[in-house]
Amino acid sequence: MDFNIAVIKGDGIGPEIVDEAVKVLDKAAEKFGHKFHYTRVLMGGESIDTYGVPLTDEAIAECRKNDAVLLGSIGGDAAVSPWYKLEPQLRPEAGLLKLRKSLGLFANLRPAYLYDELRAACPLRDDIIGDKGVDLVIVRELTGGLYFGERKTFVADGLKTAVDTLSYNENEIRRICRKGFEIAMKRRKKLTSVDKANVLDSSRLWRSIVEETAKDFPEVEYSHMLVDNCAMQLVRDPGQFDVVLTENMFGDILSDEASEIAGSLGMLPSASLNETGFGMYEPSHGSAPDIAGTGKANPLATILSAAMLLRYSLNLDKEADAVENAVSSVLKDGLRTGDIMSDGMKLLSCSQMGDAVADRI
Ligand code: IPM
Ligand code: MG
């Protein structure tokens, strides 16, 4: 079959990791008799340099026309990049947030899986990982909360003051809860909802909607956990988690922590979905401007994101399995990029890693 994919390479290491994911997608297409048509779309720093804004209306419209969006990473080094001299709403990250919001991508799935072969790259002691290993998915709300509430900076009583607002309505919470429980049903049927209900009203509302949703999923064993405790439990006993359901900001923070436990930020893919299954797929890591162009980037998170694209937006399960199995087999064969390197393994560049995965499909 023919499919259309919008491709946003982005900034920093974005272009190099996306090239490898496209290489792998094309190999899967060839193998399974499909054709992928790619349309390049600009967002982030590259869009600022070309159009003066991080995201144009045309770019949003183009993404909508496709079956899915594949994204690398956006942004630069805030200390030196001219993009960060611009007003906040004109910076690269504003483009990403606007695109998520415009496409209605409220559900962000971030699976953190520790491959046996990467245990040496996991910073936790072996006895903490134990036999259970790490296999969890963070289901992060992506279009509400602090990221999208009203914010302003002003002077009050002669003092510079800034306000950010954390707001959720029940419908926004309900749809992400439903998504979390649905995903739990397809996994080990265990869900931990993470909040700060001992302090925040928005968390107390969140809890009540979780309770309400849970009634429709009697098979799912669920519990509530405060976010500070969750941050601690993730490093104390990560094997206890299956689905971690949480709001936007908590999910941002916990997913970086979870990815490090899974060996490297360079291993963690993500899918951001709307109500219809349309999605944008991107690694959970940033644009790593310090290593851009050196060939040191790990393309596996983007390649695994492409696998999620095949599974969730194109309904190509076999093809997705093939990509994920190819990644496992690369790791079994001892092939590594620098971030997951350990003794006795073979060090590959970004494009060699892409080749290695493509060869195994
Ligand atoms: C992520 C990133 C973004 C976020 C940034 C770049 C705005 O950290 O996708 O986790 O905070 O959502
Ligand atoms: Mg983040």
Side-chain angles (χ1 to χ4, degrees):
M1 276 172 74
D2 282 37
F3 296 97
N4 299 311
I5 303 175
V7 175
I8 304 173
K9 293 192 174 188
D11 313 314
I13 58 171
E16 22 189 324
I17 54 181
V18 167
D19 284 349
E20 299 318 309
V22 166
K23 188 187 276 177
V24 171
L25 280 172
D26 281 340
K27 186 65 189 291
E30 183 195 317
K31 182 92 184 190
F32 290 91
H34 305 297
K35 182 99 192 79
F36 297 141
H37 305 277
Y38 305 100
T39 306
R40 272 208 63 191
V41 174
L42 301 193
M43 196 259 288
E46 196 185 13
S47 175
I48 297 173
D49 292 344
T50 313
Y51 302 114
V53 290
L55 182 70
T56 61
D57 291 341
E58 291 72 24
I60 301 171
E62 186 56 50
C63 288
R64 284 211 179 95
K65 277 196 240 151
N66 285 265
D67 297 309
V69 183
L70 178 68
L71 165 64
S73 52
I74 54 114
D77 179 348
V80 296
S81 162
W83 301 328
Y84 296 90
K85 302 228 156 46
L86 301 167
E87 293 286 301
Q89 71 276 11
L90 289 176
R91 293 178 196 166
E93 288 73 10
L96 177 60
L97 298 189
K98 185 171 173 197
L99 189 56
R100 288 173 177 169
K101 191 76 170 176
S102 311
L103 299 175
L105 307 174
F106 70 95
N108 183 218
L109 281 38
R110 298 189 161 183
Y113 177 75
L114 177 60
Y115 290 86
D116 253 351
E117 294 75 20
L118 289 187
R119 281 201 174 207
C122 171
L124 299 183
R125 284 198 321 263
D126 238 11
D127 62 300
I128 293 178
I129 299 302
D131 296 331
K132 283 187 284 188
V134 181
D135 182 4
L136 61 90
V137 57
I138 295 185
V139 177
R140 169 188 178 196
E141 200 291 328
L142 201 60
T143 52
L146 273 176
Y147 278 60
F148 294 95
E150 199 192 321
R151 69 178 95 259
K152 54 179 189 262
T153 304
F154 53 97
V155 177
D157 299 331
L159 297 175
K160 278 189 233 159
T161 305
V163 177
D164 297 277
T165 322
L166 202 180
S167 145
Y168 273 110
N169 69 40
E170 56 180 311
N171 289 341
E172 291 172 308
I173 301 175
R174 203 168 277 120
R175 62 183 181 179
I176 191 70
C177 282
R178 205 146 260 292
K179 193 66 158 189
F181 277 92
E182 281 164 9
I183 290 169
M185 282 301 288
K186 293 191 192 149
R187 295 176 46 102
R188 301 194 304 278
K189 300 195 174 66
K190 190 171 173 208
L191 180 144
T192 312
S193 172
V194 174
D195 63 36
K196 189 71 184 170
N198 52 350
V199 178
L200 303 176
D201 265 11
S202 55
S203 285
R204 289 187 272 266
L205 179 61
W206 183 280
R207 255 188 207 214
S208 72
I209 308 279
V210 171
E211 300 283 335
E212 170 200 306
T213 310
K215 296 203 174 84
D216 292 337
F217 298 88
E219 283 178 59
V220 176
E221 177 202 328
Y222 77 98
S223 59
H224 303 285
M225 191 179 275
L226 296 174
V227 63
D228 47 352
N229 186 27
C230 181
M232 185 269 278
Q233 295 292 340
L234 270 172
V235 289
R236 201 189 65 86
D237 178 19
Q240 71 182 287
F241 296 107
D242 178 14
V243 173
V244 175
L245 169 68
T246 192
E247 66 91 47
N248 202 344
M249 178 77 146
F250 298 158
D252 178 46
I253 298 169
L254 295 176
S255 60
D256 268 31
E257 188 187 3
S259 67
E260 192 56 28
I261 295 167
S264 162
L265 202 46
M267 293 300 300
L268 197 77
S270 87
S272 306
L273 307 174
N274 74 7
E275 314 252 9
T276 69
F278 174 86
M280 178 156 85
Y281 300 82
E282 53 176 308
S284 296
H285 61 70
S287 61
D290 52 322
I291 58 163
T294 62
K296 285 187 188 153
N298 180 353
L300 291 178
T302 316
I303 290 172
L304 291 168
S305 301
M308 293 182 90
L309 183 157
L310 294 170
R311 193 181 305 285
Y312 291 110
S313 283
L314 309 188
N315 284 315
L316 300 176
D317 281 326
K318 272 197 314 295
E319 293 76 350
D321 288 343
V323 172
E324 286 168 1
N325 292 337
V327 169
S328 292
S329 125
V330 158
L331 297 173
K332 280 203 182 75
D333 292 344
L335 307 178
R336 301 283 188 273
T337 44
D339 56 320
I340 48 173
M341 187 63 186
S342 57
D343 279 354
M345 301 294 135
K346 182 161 190 261
L347 183 65
L348 300 187
S349 69
C350 181
S351 76
Q352 286 170 329
M353 184 53 101
D355 288 337
V357 176
D359 286 348
R360 284 165 177 76
I361 289 182

